[in-house]
Amino acid sequence: GMGWGLLAVGLLLTIYTLLRHGLRRLPPPPARPELHGRTAIVTGGSGGIGAATALELARCGARVILAARSVPRGEATARRIRTETGNAEVRFMQLDLASLRSVRAFASAFLRQEPHLHLLINNAGVSAGGTTEDGFSLCFQVNHLGHFLLTQLLLQRLQSCAPSRIVIVASSAHCAGRLRPDTLGHPPPGLLSTFQDYCDSKLANVLHARELATRLQGTEVTCYAVHPGFVNTELFRHAPLWLKPLFLPLVWLFFLEAAEGARTPLHCATHRGLERFSGRYFADCRPQQPWPLARDDRLARALWEASERLVGLTGSPSPGS
């Protein structure tokens, strides 16, 4: 009767607690780096991992620009971070990565208003279907093409403020990515189109960092792709309803909190001595081998050239020119 039921619930809770806490052998957070006088941009900074990353950078004394789509959410998060850290140098600037026009407007406003840029954290991500005003799949544009354009437009400022860093938030989902430069930006066919598109965009993130590092050699601008861990953020709010019950146990057991998800991006943004790992893929705060396609230099170069063409940057000046 009742007693067995309670016992079962108790046992389940105990197992759950052991799993949840036992599976997270997390080292204590490292000593805070000193970031006074340094400026950082965090895309998707109004929630999830982005907000957690911005909060920690602000705690370290950085000037932080939260670049996000929603004005009310962005303003509220900037206000919360200023209050929580006592750092007044936290501001919101609107950026909608689903619009290349918005990316260009953000970059020119930033370059006009902010003299410095030391850290660019390309964190924003979506897993939803749909098409943008530019005619690309929403997921691929937000996760890769918009960030690709943003990075190129801010590159000279990063170089003039070097040493500086670019952190691209990718995912282990890159393992299922397939990229065909000729159909880039168009959702793949089939039932799992949106899922495939997400994986493709994450493969693009890892390859972007790889090719960017090659092109930035000798500039003292370094870049890193990171897997943040499976984090329970808004990314999954677009999962179909019938899938949500299947996700929930996993979400509760394995998904790190946003603050823990911010740990590897923060490590790559601030840890000393990572310059020799420029272009590499990090997980659990250390460089790891990504899947074979993500190490294909010819594919990386083809992706770069196709991305330049799609965002209207062909013949853009190379770094250092």
Side-chain angles (χ1 to χ4, degrees):
M2 188 74 177
W4 287 111
L6 283 174
L7 189 63
V9 169
L11 263 172
L12 281 171
L13 279 171
T14 309
I15 292 166
Y16 160 66
T17 306
L18 285 171
L19 280 171
R20 184 166 170 100
H21 295 287
L23 285 169
R24 301 173 168 200
R25 297 181 314 280
L26 282 166
R32 289 220 159 92
E34 171 48 63
L35 299 177
H36 282 89
R38 298 180 78 72
T39 299
I41 291 174
V42 182
T43 71
S46 67
I49 297 172
T53 304
L55 175 68
E56 187 58 29
L57 293 171
R59 278 202 183 113
C60 297
R63 178 170 175 80
V64 184
I65 313 300
L66 299 183
R69 190 185 50 191
S70 160
V71 177
R73 283 184 66 196
E75 296 284 14
T77 305
R79 203 161 44 241
R80 175 172 70 81
I81 293 176
R82 286 194 298 268
T83 307
E84 222 168 297
T85 61
N87 179 346
E89 311 268 293
V90 179
R91 58 176 298 221
F92 163 75
M93 286 179 70
Q94 192 182 23
L95 167 66
D96 181 3
L97 288 152
S99 158
L100 297 178
R101 205 183 30 173
S102 171
V103 174
R104 289 197 153 84
F106 170 88
S108 66
F110 176 87
L111 294 170
R112 220 170 34 245
Q113 295 164 22
E114 297 286 335
H116 305 293
L117 180 58
H118 306 92
L119 289 175
L120 172 59
I121 301 187
N122 289 337
N123 157 84
V126 296
S127 59
T131 308
T132 67
E133 65 181 47
D134 303 290
F136 302 116
S137 76
L138 176 68
C139 181
F140 198 82
Q141 180 168 331
V142 170
N143 298 0
H144 171 66
L145 288 172
H147 278 128
F148 178 86
L149 176 60
L150 179 68
T151 303
Q152 289 305 98
L153 296 175
L154 297 175
L155 213 44
Q156 275 186 318
R157 182 62 50 87
L158 284 160
Q159 281 175 239
S160 65
C161 296
S164 54
R165 293 184 184 183
I166 299 160
V167 177
I168 299 171
V169 178
S171 162
S172 61
H174 77 269
C175 67
R178 304 190 294 256
L179 287 176
R180 297 207 312 285
D182 51 323
T183 59
L184 205 65
H186 299 289
L191 193 60
L192 293 174
S193 173
T194 303
F195 175 71
Q196 184 64 54
D197 199 37
Y198 178 76
C199 297
D200 293 353
S201 73
K202 294 292 138 184
L203 174 58
N205 289 155
V206 183
L207 289 167
H208 179 201
R210 193 175 178 92
E211 179 68 12
L212 188 54
T214 303
R215 289 167 184 254
L216 289 173
Q217 275 166 2
T219 62
E220 280 196 292
V221 183
T222 54
C223 58
Y224 312 88
V226 307
H227 170 60
F230 288 100
V231 176
N232 181 12
T233 69
E234 298 101 85
L235 195 63
F236 288 93
R237 66 180 165 206
H238 299 295
L241 269 175
W242 60 269
L243 258 182
K244 291 205 165 142
L246 301 177
F247 268 131
L248 278 173
L250 288 170
V251 166
W252 283 106
L253 278 174
F254 301 109
F255 281 38
L256 310 173
E257 297 311 314
E260 292 165 19
R263 202 170 270 203
T264 304
L266 283 162
H267 177 83
C268 288
T270 62
H271 197 74
R272 286 169 184 271
L274 294 187
E275 288 74 17
R276 67 203 166 98
F277 297 115
S278 185
R280 295 283 303 275
Y281 172 75
F282 278 69
D284 295 321
C285 295
R286 54 184 192 273
Q288 298 193 355
Q289 280 286 58
W291 287 71
L293 269 184
R295 306 196 294 270
D296 181 335
D297 288 319
R298 280 174 53 196
L299 184 59
R301 192 158 54 252
L303 169 70
W304 183 283
E305 286 162 4
S307 301
E308 270 189 333
R309 196 170 63 248
L310 293 178
V311 301
L313 277 178
T314 30
S316 60
S318 59
S321 64

